[in-house]
Amino acid sequence: MIRLLHIEFIKLWNNRASKALIIAYFILLTFISLVAAIKFDIGPIKFHLAELGIFDFPYIWHFNSFIAAFFKLFLAVVIVSMMANEYSNKTIKQNLIDGLSKWEFVYSKFLTVLALSAVSTIFLFVISFLLGLGYSSYDEISIIFSDLEFILGYFVKLVGFFSFCLFLGIFVKRSAFALGFLILWAIVEQLLFGLIGWKLTSWETAGTIRSFFPLQSMSNLIDEPFTRLSAVQNLGDQIGENFKFDYAVHWYEILIVLIWTALFIYGSYALLKKRDL
């Protein structure tokens, strides 16, 4: 396992584009901490974003995992390019000639997905923990380490999303087309949701069905955190709006994404097994 992972990281690090994207991704994650320095001073309007409570424990785990998930597209490009380069450079054929089985080839790619997801999650945890220590109004251990389910949700979300990208990279063979297909699939999911709700059943039932779609199921893992802020909650109470939603990461949401992940990895192997390289 370590040998396979070592081979994949050598390939990634020797590719300038992949190396630049990986570095840019982690730099952007670090930039989350710069939000703490943003202050608005417009006439009578003066406030410091950090003072709004976005870096309070345990809210910070929710907020940072939601924001960081937007940057996953950088690594998505790395994943699909990783597969495209295997075909264009014919290294996939050379690996198989050298004795690597098709399953070992897919397994090595999945190990890369797991490694990138794990490193990203640990990096996010460290940044969030340090920001929380610096800005949070709460320092009780029980509060600091509550709501860590969002960090788990972030990891599962990355694994599922990158596994989908891996499948598309093997299916399409070209990184630009694979990314285009990813965007197209996101649009198709919304169109299917609209069609089901409009023609086939109620919108509530359509929303339940949509939660089983691959990209939507990944999105459902971490709900938006903004209405959870106490300032927004207080505003909602004043205007008569109820902003008290269920923000938790549920076990069945994780299970749905894990099932899709397994299907994507198996689909990647099935495609490679049938394909004449």
Side-chain angles (χ1 to χ4, degrees):
M1 183 176 71
I2 297 178
R3 178 180 65 87
L4 294 175
L5 193 58
H6 180 65
I7 292 173
E8 293 304 322
F9 271 96
I10 288 177
K11 291 179 183 177
L12 287 178
W13 202 247
N14 288 334
N15 184 288
R16 290 185 179 179
S18 296
K19 181 163 61 175
L21 285 169
I22 292 173
I23 293 174
Y25 170 77
F26 285 104
I27 290 175
L28 285 173
L29 283 185
T30 307
F31 279 174
I32 294 178
S33 61
L34 296 182
V35 174
I38 297 178
K39 297 181 179 180
F40 288 92
D41 188 356
I42 307 174
I45 303 176
K46 298 179 181 180
F47 66 91
H48 186 188
L49 284 180
E51 294 175 354
L52 294 179
I54 62 175
F55 293 139
D56 278 347
F57 289 119
Y59 178 79
I60 190 172
W61 305 119
H62 187 182
F63 179 81
N64 281 5
S65 59
F66 179 81
I67 297 299
F70 287 102
F71 302 139
K72 67 182 182 295
L73 291 175
F74 281 82
L75 292 187
V77 176
V78 172
I79 298 296
V80 296
S81 298
M82 175 177 67
M83 281 310 309
N85 291 336
E86 294 284 2
Y87 286 107
S88 60
N89 298 332
K90 301 187 184 302
T91 50
I92 180 173
K93 184 179 292 186
Q94 186 60 49
N95 287 154
L96 297 177
I97 292 175
D98 291 341
L100 202 67
S101 69
K102 290 185 176 181
W103 168 245
E104 285 178 320
F105 179 82
V106 173
Y107 182 53
S108 68
K109 301 302 181 186
F110 182 59
L111 286 177
T112 305
V113 164
L114 288 176
L116 289 174
S117 300
V119 172
S120 300
T121 303
I122 294 171
F123 193 78
L124 178 68
F125 173 84
V126 172
I127 289 177
S128 301
F129 183 69
L130 293 177
L131 283 173
L133 289 180
Y135 291 97
S136 178
S137 304
Y138 308 99
D139 56 5
E140 295 86 351
I141 295 297
S142 60
I143 295 178
I144 290 175
F145 293 106
S146 61
D147 279 9
L148 282 179
E149 64 197 57
F150 292 104
I151 298 297
L152 173 62
Y154 178 74
F155 173 72
V156 174
K157 185 173 187 173
L158 290 188
V159 172
F161 185 72
F162 295 154
S163 297
F164 189 21
C165 293
L166 175 61
F167 171 76
L168 292 179
I170 293 177
F171 178 65
V172 182
K173 297 184 182 180
R174 296 289 184 271
S175 56
F177 289 115
L179 292 172
F181 192 93
L182 180 64
I183 296 172
L184 178 62
W185 183 260
I187 296 173
V188 168
E189 285 194 7
Q190 298 308 313
L191 290 176
L192 283 174
F193 164 66
L195 179 63
I196 294 171
W198 180 39
K199 289 289 188 181
L200 301 179
T201 185
S202 67
W203 288 107
E204 183 178 355
T205 303
T208 301
I209 295 173
R210 181 175 64 164
S211 66
F212 288 92
F213 295 166
L215 291 181
Q216 186 61 43
S217 66
M218 298 169 199
S219 178
N220 288 344
L221 281 173
I222 304 175
D223 295 319
E224 59 81 21
F226 306 109
T227 52
R228 189 181 172 188
L229 279 169
S230 57
V232 177
Q233 295 278 346
N234 293 335
L235 178 62
D237 292 337
Q238 293 175 10
I239 63 176
E241 290 289 337
N242 182 12
F243 290 144
K244 294 177 174 60
F245 305 118
D246 181 8
Y247 300 99
V249 179
H250 298 284
W251 67 268
Y252 55 84
E253 294 172 331
I254 291 177
L255 180 61
I256 292 171
V257 176
L258 291 178
I259 290 174
W260 276 115
T261 300
L263 290 174
F264 291 141
I265 298 305
Y266 176 77
S268 299
Y269 171 64
L271 279 174
L272 204 61
K273 187 177 180 180
K274 293 181 178 179
R275 191 169 283 170
D276 184 11
L277 303 174

